[in-house]
Each structure stands twice: as C-alpha cells, then as structure tokens.
C-alpha cells in the first residue's frame, strides 16, 4: 500500500509506524524527509502553486502510484473538489465523504444542519453577506459584538471581531481579502460574538456503517488572534454531565451528515457552561495528539481503518480519560509583538527535548531548515503527558527549557509563562486569557528577587568558567573574582569563588551555589543552583562580557565585566538611539498589500498607513503620532524584511 | 613635514600645546617639580645616607608624576571625550598586575621654544611602554598618552616604542600599539620625523616575525598613519578615532572638498569604504576586551605553532544543517557564514573586515581548539565573485596566516571574476594575481571545500589542488567547470538550434563534482554534514606538514596599488 501525505505541516514525525510506508508530498525542494520513503516536489514555495495546486498533487499521486491520500491539516484537507477528483481516479481519500466535507465546510450550511440536528447554535445571520454595508446592517440586527468570518475558512484566518459599524466595515475588508488568499473563496458570514467564552472541542470518530463515538474534549481556550497556542485534554472546566451532553450533540451532528472518519466539533462554552456549536472540522486537527494521549487511540490508524471500510473497534463505554496531556504550539514568532508576529530565518541550531520521558514533539523541520514567509510559522507541537495535570505541566516546563531553537525568534518565552501563570494553573481561562493577563502586551518573565540572584549567579559563573578556560595553560587557577553584572538597568557587584566545577557567588550579602559541567560549546546549560536543578540556555557570550541566557523561557541580556572594566565603562560615550516615533519599520518579514498614504499627506495617530501580509495574516500598520508623511519607502507588492523602513513621518 | 604641521593645526592640537605651556604651573606636577629643585639645593649639605633618601624621594615623585601623565585636568578632559587614559587602557588590556613598564623616567630632549623648562618635562613623555600578559601569554605594548603634549611623537617617544619592538622581535612576542596621538612633536622638527622612520623600519622588520596589532583610539594622522598601515591588523574605536593623511582643513584648501573628520577618516569610512581598518568597536572598553579575545587566536611569533585551547565542542560533531544549506537552484544565494558557524568550534568566528568587500569572508576560528584562518566566497553578496577589493582582502589575510603557521580552510562558491570596465581599469588582473600568489606561496596546511560553484580562473585561485592544496573536498552540490552551462553552450554551440538540449547535456556532464574528482583535483566528495569531522581529522594529520619554497631574497608579489 502506498499513500500520500500532504498538508500545512510538512511532516508529522510521530505518525504511526504503519504510515511510514507511504510516500509523502512536499513542495520545498529542500525539505528533508526523515521518515518517508519517497518525496515528490509539487511546486515552488507559494502555497497556491504547491499544496493548493491540485493538478500538481494529482500528478504526484499518479507518479507514485498512491492508492490512498492522507490530506494532513489545512490546505486541501477540507476541499471537496480534491476529494471528488481523488474519487474519480479511484484513489481513497483518508477522510470523510465529499458530501460531509461540503456540508460542514460551508459554515452557513453546517449551522442549518446543526440546528436541525438539535445542536445548540449561536444566534446569527444564516447567509452570505454581500458587502460591507450589508454587514453593518446585519450586525445592527444581531447586536454588537459580532464575529465576521470566512464561510470557507478555519484556523482563525479571515476572522475579525467588530464592536461598532466602523470596525465592521474594516473587518469585512480584511476578512474577505484574507479569505481569498487563504482559501480562494471570499464569502463571509456574520454571527453574534460570545464574549469571554472558552473554546472546547469534541473529537468524534465515525465509521461508514453509521456508528460514531465521542473521544472526549480538548480545551483550546488559550488563543491569540483566534489561533490556538496551548491546548490540553481533558478540560478542567467540564463536569461529566456537560461532557456527555456535548459529546452526544457532537455525535448526533456526525450522524446527521453521515460522517465517517475523524472529525472535530468545536463549541464555545460560556461561564455558565452553556455551549454553542461553532463549526465542525472534517479533518485531523493539529492538536489531535493530546486526545491520543488520554484515550490511547491512534487517530491516524483509526482514520485509515475507517477509510478501508472497517467498523469501529470501540464502544463509547471503552473510551477512557487516562491522565492529562498538554500541547504547546511552538511558533516562529516574536511573542513580544501582539503575542506573536511571524519571524523568519534559518534554524542554525535545533534540538528537540526528546530525551525527556513522556514528551512528544511533532515537527516537520530540522537543523538547517528555513522558516519562510510562505507557510504557517509553526515549528512544532510539543506534547507532554502526565498522570495528573500538575505532572503534565511540570513536564512541559522541563521540555520548554530543554528545547533549543536558534536562528529564528520563537514563542517559547510566552508558552513558558502561560503554563506557570496562576490563572492557567487554576484552570481559570477563556479565549481572552492573553489580553486579560497581559493587557500591555507580553513582556517576558518578571524575575523575583530569588530568580534574579540565580540568573546573576549563573551568568557570573559562566563568565568565570570561560575566563578560566582562556587561561588553561597557566595551570588550575583558583581565586576570587570581583565582577560587576548588569541586568536590565540594575547593576550588581558580585564576588565569585570557585572550587572545581562549583562556584560560590555572593550577591548583595547572599550566597548562591552554582555547579555544573560548564561545557561552553553546548546549547543547554544544565546546572544546579542552591541544590535546585535548572536548565538554562546560553544564547550569546561575547568578548565584551555580553551574555544572553534563556531562563524560565525568557531570554535575558546581561553584561558581566570585571570591576575594573565596569568602573572604566562610566567614561564611555553614550550612543544616541534612533527616534522611532517618526519612523515606521516593518515589524516582521512579509509583503506589502496596500499603502494608504503618499508623501505630503497628513496622518492622525493610529491611522492606517499600510498593510503587511505575512504568513497569510494581514496586519495593519498605523501612525505612532499625528504628523505629515515625509517619505514612503514601499509600494504594494513589495517584499519587506523585518526592520525595513516603510514610511517616514516629519 | 609640512603635512604633519598642517594636519596638526587642523586637529586643533596646537591649541592644546599652548595651553600646556601656560597652565602647567597649576597642575600637581608643577608642584612636584618645585619640590625637586629644593631638594637639589640641599643635596650638598647632607650626608650620604640622607642623600640616598632624597634619591628615593625623587624616584617616588617621578614615578608618581609619570603615573598621572599630563595631570588630572587633562585626564578629566580625556574622559570627557569618552576616552580612557593610556594607563587605564593597558590595565584593561593586560592581565591584572602583569604589566612591566619600561622607560618611565625617559624625558624628551627638546630645548627649543621653552621646552627645556622643568614644567614641560613629563617623566615617560607621551607614551607608556612595556610588556605584560594577555591570558598569561607575553605581549609587548605601547600606549600613546594624549594627555602629554597631545600624545605627540618626540624623539624620546619614538625611542621608547623602538625599544619594546626590538625586544619583542628578539624574544618572539607580538606587539600591540594603542594609538592616540596628534602627530609629530613640531618643536622637535626633524628629530620627530626620524623617530617615525625608526618605527616604520621596525614595523617592516617585524612584519612576518611577530604579529603586530594597532588599535586606533584617538587621532592618528599624517605620517603617523603608516605605522598602523604596516602592522598586521588595524582596529578602530567608533566615533573617537580617526586615521587620515591630512585633516579636513587641508583637504578643503587643496581640493575644496567639504568633509568632516568622521567622513574623512572615521571608523565607518575605514571599515566599509577604504579597507584600511579591519574591525571597529563601540568604545574603548569594548575594543580592549575584544582585543584580548582576538589575541587568543594568534601565535606569539613565526616560530610558534598556531595556539591550541581547550575545546568543549566534539571534533566529530555532525552538522546536519549543512546537508540542506546549498539551494537546488544554482542562482539562489545562501549565507556562507552559516556554513562557517556550523563547522567551527562553538560557532565562534572572529571575522576580519566584516563590512568591506563582503563578497569574501575572512577571519579566525578554531577547529578542535586549534586556530585556523577561514576564507570563503560569500554567495549572498555579488554572487561571491572575486573583484579588486575582495582579492586584496583575501590575499592579505592568507599571507598573514601563512606567515604565522595558521592553517587555512577555504570554502569555495565562486562564479568567477567580476567583469566590466570598472574592474579592468581598476586592475583586477594584478589584484586578482595577489590572491593567486598568496594561496600559491602558502606552505601552511591548506584545506579546501568546494560547496557549489568553482568556475574558471577563480577555481584555480581559490586554494585549488594545483596551488598545492593539501586536502581538497567537494560537496555533492559542487560544480567545477570553466563557466556556467548557459555561457559555455553559447560558445561551444554558437548558432546551433538545440541550445536547450546542449545546455542540459553540459549540466549533466560538468555541473557536478565528477569531472574534478575523476582527475584527482578533489580528493573526495563528502557529505556536507560530515565536513567538521573530516576537517578536524585532516588538520591533525597536517599539523606536522613541512614544506619550503625555493630560496629567494624575497618574493616579488604583484604589489603595486592598494
């Protein structure tokens, strides 16, 4: 049996063993295939020419003689045309039948079907919205806030929330553009936006013989811009009754559309445990591994069985909840900018924390891979499992600390903060979690006094270890070091003494014991601080004493100098930084969709200046102050890099 | 001579000198000199032991005076400019308590223009010299003291500098000069000029014997610039250092150009436009700490092997990222620095001239702890072609490595020499010849890795087997050919119809490593991810390489021009 694997995520390394015999399809000439037997290039990087290019994929299928196709997630996975063409060629599509994809893929139709199947639905307009003015009219009828979303969409793309008429018009424009570029279909719909909800979804599994199961829920409330960041299964919020009610409605919807294969029914759940049908995803979800962890079922294997026409192996009463699983989506994103703006680059170093038990990493990349602007910026999904939620979260801390990613900016600082935040730990979350917890944006880990000492001590010990290595030929030196360490504008005088690999660092009268192997070539720095085991990462160490350490997920910049160098540094001239209020630079790499101003225009603070599209997201760039436009350095269609000058104001 | 004087007026240093004549009585050293005169008067009336004590006192006083240089006021002024004093710089550069000072009591010998007056004599004059240690390794240093007569060069100043240079050559240890000087001491006239020449001669004699490094930390102008220019490496401090033959005022009067000091001879100019300086650092502290780091790469002399330090990076570490780094499309660029960082120890690469002639990358790194020189074409800039500036940049670096026993690793991805009138008129033929010459004459271990293109004459130049490359590797993506397929087919099949087919045939035949490999021009085709392991092993084998060139008085490298 040969099969074909495509999808937004280049490759899933943890696929069941039996899947390894299948050929895989990739669009990048350089993507490295570690597990597949065969890889077929389906075109250049832009998705419309590769993963969304049906002709190319059909050719690949003929070329490899594939008998079945697993469509992966995203792209053609929910495309009814694709399923039809496969059927015409006599190739099995590992997924539901075309009519189910069609019915559930269309959000308007799916809602009507759900209503008919007695599934709770959100009040809204059951039809396609023609233009922005009609959108405003309908929004007025439903009542603000409203959600505008792509009829064909999913994954948060082409989705906007509007609180007034103005935002409705703007949202309509953005959503239709995004919908067109992501799905090739710009139809939009509008519905009531449920404020402060949880996003909880039910995994269903149905066979071709009319049997269906619900495989419990996944809590996916931690989101930014309607895209999931941290997921867990089960949810802390559901009681057995609500779980069963949701599961039964999900199954009844699956039955209503004669669904077969794995699918996901998404619900919004309000604080009173009222739940509303959101949509049904007729494919495998990115976050499916956490369901596999707690149920012990291999969903891909089940999908293949069902596609072959076998009956379900399990009964509803067989489906357990064993332990707890958490998934973090590791993105190539800068979490300090709107909880994650895409970043690109080459993974100069990459090491997954696979040596830790109960850690699963699904990724499609390896050291040397390029993260480009053409795809979703996901690096991997990191899954940890424990008997209890506490255990799974602790494991996640370790896994994030041991995850080495260099060359691109990544969101580990944010992930590491979310999973230890008291609100998250207590289960008090909603889809508003991030903006509520970080109203002024994510700023990284805030150090306690004790943590600050640990960090200073580590930097000092690392500095001394490196200095000592430079002097190896002098014999084993053991003496007292007087250092001055700077950490975000705080200056500390430290004394360091050493015996073997153990360093005693004195900070403001407190002694900190740091010991470790001090391998200066290793990306990871496993050390013991005052008897506590910690894994830090050294990101940078320069001759001028700059040291960057990743500690508790966040990267901290320190400067370690001898007291002499520090005291002489006070004579050094200060460099004047650039005035950023009158300069608009691209916050990320991407392409310019539209420029709304020209030189000489007067702009008001907050007015849109241009729109940058990156990784399928459109981002509006606004003026930082009211001023006249001095010069414009980009035009629609340009590709811009991070930090490129876009517009100068006077 | 005129040049010096003009230059100095342009720097406003004469003003500084005048000030020193008038105000010297107010500074502590003036008081010290008075006390010494008194002691002299009492000398005859005292018995021997007391006399002895007074000498002790005088020694202490001279030492104290020497340590404060031009006095507290000028030290404060130096700090205000964002600069450290000559002694602070040495303290930071050298290991604690390692500095041994020479000639602290030397004074200038000028007796004209009132210079003979006691208050115009400063023990040690305008330079601090001696030897010390950097991470325990011996180095000779001189540090010009801007607080004494603007760091101007007197006969005595030059004599002190020559003394440390002579000794450095004798014992075989590098010389580091910290330059901060207004130029010649005009009061001394020709004596000062002679001093410069004495230093130049020693720079030339020491060249290739011990490493010489100049760190420009203030003005360095007029004839003085030729000393740094003769040394192996010239580093600068951003915003506070300048190098030029004549200052902005003279430029204005001669060529009517309006130019600032910074534009004319600042760190940015010399590290990006002229190629005079090899690196620039943020400030004094940053520069000195980096210099300490840089020093670790260098052998002490031409008799010393390349230094080996403790290495925590496994020598056989695979570098999986290299297997995918070269794009399939041969027109697509990638960053040669990614390859360099991946292969060398701990990703540590001290790049020389990072902002000049960026189509070639040169610098120092370590392989299994041993210093190596890295040369690589940079496909990211101008497709990595060789042109005038990149040839000269590469040639000078290769010659330094060869002179000081540092093995050379060359990464080749070169589409050829840059065509065009600008290059031909600029003398690409003779400049390109320098790089060829440098690689050909080098007798240190030479390892070459062809990552992609090695086209035409540029293939020969880039440390090819034919120029005595010891180990030459090709990656599977290598294409060793006279030129790219398109150009070749246009020549071979001129006027013929089926060009596309011919091109495909050419690609099949030549755009791969086999034509070179079957002839033994590359020793092996290796998997990129194994490159580090292979190179470390080869370097160990080649550590005992011995090769000599025929006897000659000196070779005659095609030297003319920049």
């Amino acid at each position: 049996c040969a099969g074909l694997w495509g999808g937004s995520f280049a490759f899933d390394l943890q696929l069941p063993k039996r899947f390894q015999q299948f050929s895989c399809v990739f669009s990048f000439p350089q993507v490295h295939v570690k597990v597949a037997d065969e890889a077929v290039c389906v075109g250049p990087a832009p998705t419309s020419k590769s993963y969304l290019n049906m002709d190319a994929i059909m050719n690949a299928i003929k070329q490899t003689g594939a008998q079945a196709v697993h469509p992966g997630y995203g792209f053609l996975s929910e495309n009814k045309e694709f399923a039809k063409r496969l059927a015409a060629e006599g190739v099995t599509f590992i997924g539901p039948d075309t009519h189910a994809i069609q019915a559930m893929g269309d959000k308007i139709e799916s809602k009507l079907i759900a209503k008919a199947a007695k599934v709770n639905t959100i009040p809204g307009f059951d039809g396609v919205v023609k233009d922005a003015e009609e959108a405003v009219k309908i929004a007025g009828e439903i009542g603000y806030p409203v959600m505008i979303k792509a009829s064909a969409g999913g994954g948060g793309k082409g989705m906007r929330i509007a609180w007034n008429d103005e935002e409705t018009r703007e949202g309509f424009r953005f959503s239709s553009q995004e919908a067109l570029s992501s799905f090739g279909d710009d139809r939009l719909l509008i519905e009531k936006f449920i404020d402060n909800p949880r996003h909880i979804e039910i995994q269903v599994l149905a066979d071709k013989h009319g049997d269906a199961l619900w495989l419990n829920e996944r809590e996916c409330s931690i989101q930014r811009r309607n895209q999931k960041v941290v997921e867990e299964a089960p949810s802390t919020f559901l009681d057995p009754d609500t779980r069963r009610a949701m599961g039964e409605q999900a199954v009844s919807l699956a039955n209503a559309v004669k669904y077969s294969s794995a699918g996901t029914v998404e619900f919004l759940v309000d604080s009173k445990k009222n739940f509303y049908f959101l949509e049904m995803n007729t494919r495998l979800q990115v976050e499916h591994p956490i369901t596999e962890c707690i149920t012990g079922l291999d969903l891909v294997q089940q999908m293949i069985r069902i596609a072959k026409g076998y009956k379900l192996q399990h009964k509803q009463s067989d489906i357990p909840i064993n332990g707890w699983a958490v998934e973090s989506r590791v993105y190539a994103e800068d979490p300090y900018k709107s909880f994650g703006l895409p970043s690109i680059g080459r993974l100069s170093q990459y090491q997954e924390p696979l040596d830790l038990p109960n850690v699963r990493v699904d990724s499609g990349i390896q050291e040397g891979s390029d993260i480009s602007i053409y795809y979703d910026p996901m690096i991997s999904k990191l899954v940890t499992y424990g008997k209890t939620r506490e255990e799974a979260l602790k494991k996640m801390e370790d896994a994030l600390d041991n995850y080495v990613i260099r060359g691109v900016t990544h969101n580990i600082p944010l992930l590491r903060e979310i999973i230890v935040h008291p609100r998250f730990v207590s289960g008090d979350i909603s889809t508003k979690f991030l903006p509520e917890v970080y109203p002024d944006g994510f700023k990284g880990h805030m150090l306690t006094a004790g943590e600050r000492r640990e960090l200073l001590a580590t930097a000092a010990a690392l500095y001394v270890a490196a200095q000592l290595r430079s002097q190896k030929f002098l014999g084993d030196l053991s003496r007292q070091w007087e250092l001055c360490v700077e950490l975000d504008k705080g200056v500390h005088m430290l004394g360091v003494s050493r015996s073997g690999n153990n360093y005693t660092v004195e900070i403001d009268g407190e002694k900190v014991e740091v010991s470790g192997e001090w391998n200066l070539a290793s990306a990871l720095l496993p050390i013991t601080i005052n008897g506590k085991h910690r894994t830090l990462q050294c990101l940078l160490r320069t001759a001028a004493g700059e040291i960057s350490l990743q500690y508790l997920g966040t990267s901290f910049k320190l400067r370690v100098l001898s007291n002499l160098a520090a005291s002489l540094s006070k004579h050094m001239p200060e460099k004047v930084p650039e005035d950023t209020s009158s300069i608009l630079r691209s916050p990320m790499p991407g392409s310019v969709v539209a420029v709304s101003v020209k030189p000489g225009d007067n702009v008001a603070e907050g007015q849109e200046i241009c729109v940058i599209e990156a990784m399928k997201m459109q981002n509006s760039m606004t003026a930082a102050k009211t001023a006249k436009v001095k010069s414009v350095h980009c035009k629609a269609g340009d590709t811009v890099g991070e930090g490129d000058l876009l517009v100068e104001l006077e | 001579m005129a040049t010096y004087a003009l230059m100095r007026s342009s720097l406003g240093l004469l003003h500084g000198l005048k000030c020193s004549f008038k105000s010297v009585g107010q500074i502590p050293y003036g008081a010290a000199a008075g006390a010494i005169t008194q002691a002299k008067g009492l000398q005859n009336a005292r018995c021997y032991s007391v006399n002895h004590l007074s000498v002790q006192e005088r020694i202490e006083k001279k030492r104290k005076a020497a340590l404060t240089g031009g006095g507290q006021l000028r030290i404060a002024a130096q700090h205000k400019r964002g600069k450290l004093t000559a002694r602070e710089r040495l303290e930071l550069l050298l290991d604690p308590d390692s500095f041994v000072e020479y000639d602290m009591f030397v004074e200038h010998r000028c007796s004209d223009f009132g210079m003979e007056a006691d208050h115009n004599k400063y023990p040690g004059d305008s330079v601090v010299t001696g030897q010390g240690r950097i991470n325990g390794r011996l180095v000779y240093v001189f540090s010009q003291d801007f607080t004494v007569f603007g760091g101007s060069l007197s006969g005595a100043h030059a004599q002190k500098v020559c003394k440390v240079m002579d000794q450095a050559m004798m014992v075989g240890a590098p010389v580091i000069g910290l330059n901060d000087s207004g130029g010649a001491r005009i009061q001394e006239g020709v004596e000062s000029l002679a001093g410069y020449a004495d230093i130049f001669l020693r720079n030339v004699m020491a060249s290739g014997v011990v490493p010489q490094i100049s760190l420009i930390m203030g003005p360095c102008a007029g004839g003085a610039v030729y000393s740094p220019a003769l040394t192996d490496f010239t580093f600068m401090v951003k915003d506070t250092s300048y190098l030029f033959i004549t200052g902005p005022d003279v430029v204005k009067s001669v060529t009517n150009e309006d130019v600032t000091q910074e534009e004319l001879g600042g760190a940015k100019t010399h590290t990006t436009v002229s190629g005079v300086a090899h690196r620039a650092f943020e400030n004094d502290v940053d520069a000195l700490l980096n210099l300490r780091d840089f020093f670790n790469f260098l052998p002490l002399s031409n008799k010393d092997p390349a230094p080996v330090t403790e290495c925590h990076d496994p020598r056989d570490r695979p570098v999986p990222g290299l297997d995918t780094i070269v794009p399939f499309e041969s027109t697509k660029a990638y960053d040669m620095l990614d390859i360099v960082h991946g292969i060398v120890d701990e990703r540590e690469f001290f790049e020389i001239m990072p902002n000049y002639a960026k189509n070639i990358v040169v610098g120092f790194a370590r392989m299994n702890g041993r210093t190596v020189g890295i040369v690589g074409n940079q496909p990211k800039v101008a497709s990595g072609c060789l042109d005038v500036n990149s040839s000269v940049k590469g040639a000078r670096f290769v010659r330094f490595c060869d002179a000081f026993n540092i093995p050379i690793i060359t990464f080749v991805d070169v589409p050829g020499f840059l065509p065009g009138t600008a290059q031909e008129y600029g003398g690409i033929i003779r400049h390109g010849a320098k790089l060829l010459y440098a690689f050909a004459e080098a007798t240190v271990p030479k390892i070459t890795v062809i990552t992609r293109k090695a086209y035409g004459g540029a293939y020969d130049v880039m440390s090819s087997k034919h120029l005595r490359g010891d180990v030459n590797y090709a990656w599977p993506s290598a294409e060793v050919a006279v030129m790219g397929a398109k150009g070749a087919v246009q020549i071979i099949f001129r006027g013929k119809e089926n060009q596309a087919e011919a091109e495909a045939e050419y690609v099949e035949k030549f755009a791969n490593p086999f034509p070179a490999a079957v002839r033994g021009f590359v020793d092996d085709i290796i998997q990129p991810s194994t490159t580090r392991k292979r190179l470390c092993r080869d370097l160990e084998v080649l550590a005992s390489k011995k090769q000599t060139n025929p006897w000659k008085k000196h070779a005659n490298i095609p030297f003319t021009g920049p």
Side-chain angles (χ1 to χ4, degrees), chain B residues 211-272:
Chain B
Q212 303 180 78
I213 304 164
S214 303
L215 177 54
I216 316 298
M217 311 187 81
C220 178
V225 298
Y226 286 107
S227 178
L230 290 166
T231 59
D232 298 301
F233 296 100
T234 303
F235 299 122
M236 293 181 78
V237 180
K238 286 180 192 168
D239 305 325
T240 50
S241 74
Y242 309 99
L243 270 166
F244 36 63
I245 297 282
T246 53
D249 293 355
V250 181
V251 170
K252 174 78 180 161
S253 69
V254 176
T255 69
N256 205 29
E257 281 174 281
D258 278 308
V259 65
T260 63
Q261 280 194 35
E262 183 65 33
E263 287 163 359
L264 185 62
K268 195 170 172 200
T269 300
H270 286 313
T271 52
T272 60

Side-chain angles (χ1 to χ4, degrees), chain A residues 352-365:
Chain A
E352 293 170 350
L354 290 173
D355 50 340
L356 302 177
N358 289 339
V359 173
R360 165 172 169 177
V361 186
D362 290 9
S363 72
I365 47 151

Side-chain angles (χ1 to χ4, degrees), chain A residues 73-134:
Chain A
Y73 344 106
F75 296 109
L76 298 177
S77 63
E78 292 175 294
N79 187 307
K80 55 182 191 283
E81 286 303 317
F82 184 56
K84 267 187 202 157
R85 285 186 66 171
L86 288 175
E89 294 285 334
V91 176
T92 308
F93 177 81
I94 303 173
D97 295 337
T98 319
H99 70 269
I101 298 180
Q102 186 162 1
M104 291 295 110
D106 190 309
K107 285 185 184 164
I108 297 160
E109 200 187 332
S110 70
K111 221 167 143 184
L112 294 172
I113 296 172
K115 262 186 188 167
K118 299 212 162 47
V119 177
N120 306 349
T121 56
I122 303 170
F125 177 69
D126 304 330
V128 177
V129 185
K130 280 199 291 293
D131 56 29
E133 287 319 308
E134 196 192 346

Side-chain angles (χ1 to χ4, degrees), chain A residues 29-30 32 346 348-349 366-368 469-474 479 518-521 541 543-544 559 561 564-565 568-569 571-573 575, chain B residues 79 82 84 88 91-92 135-137 238-239 282-286 289-290 293 296 310 312-313 320-321 324-328 338 346-347:
Chain A
Q30 294 254 326
H32 203 72
R346 184 177 178 275
S348 54
Q349 276 177 290
Q366 60 159 2
E367 192 170 304
R469 185 176 66 160
S470 291
Q471 306 172 355
K472 267 290 145 138
F473 46 88
L474 282 184
R479 66 183 175 101
W518 306 109
N519 179 325
L520 298 172
R541 184 164 51 80
R559 186 143 196 231
L561 292 173
L564 172 71
L568 292 178
S569 282
H571 300 305
M572 295 299 100
K575 309 274 169 175
Chain B
H79 285 159
L84 300 179
E88 284 167 344
E91 210 182 338
L92 201 50
N135 287 317
R137 302 198 312 146
K238 286 180 192 168
D239 305 325
E282 287 306 314
N283 55 46
D284 281 14
V285 171
D286 189 47
L289 293 177
N290 271 288
D293 189 49
N296 290 347
E310 183 182 292
H312 293 173
D313 203 353
T324 55
I325 190 160
V326 178
F328 277 9
D338 285 339
E346 300 177 19
R347 311 182 62 79

Side-chain angles (χ1 to χ4, degrees), chain B residues 137 233 293-300 304-311 344-345 348 350 363-374 397 400-401 404-409 444-445 539 543:
Chain B
R137 302 198 312 146
F233 296 100
D293 189 49
F294 176 64
F295 190 81
N296 290 347
F297 286 103
L298 305 180
L300 296 182
D304 208 29
V308 182
T309 63
E310 183 182 292
C311 173
V344 303
D345 288 358
E348 203 186 326
F350 191 99
F364 296 101
R366 296 189 181 88
M367 292 293 276
N368 200 18
R370 187 193 314 270
T371 300
V372 292
I374 305 271
F397 180 75
F400 176 83
C401 293
F404 291 102
N405 315 315
I406 298 172
I408 301 164
I409 298 174
V444 290
L539 285 165

Side-chain angles (χ1 to χ4, degrees), chain B residues 379-431:
Chain B
K380 229 175 70 169
V381 181
S383 303
C385 72
L386 289 176
D387 58 6
V388 169
N389 291 343
S390 60
S391 300
V392 175
K393 171 179 167 183
R396 179 133 176 86
F397 180 75
V398 168
R399 294 197 98 214
F400 176 83
C401 293
D402 186 43
F404 291 102
N405 315 315
I406 298 172
I408 301 164
I409 298 174
T410 309
F411 294 102
V412 184
D413 185 348
V414 65
F417 283 96
L418 183 64
T421 49
Q423 288 295 311
E424 295 292 358
Y425 296 173
I428 181 63
I429 297 176
R430 63 191 165 90
H431 295 299

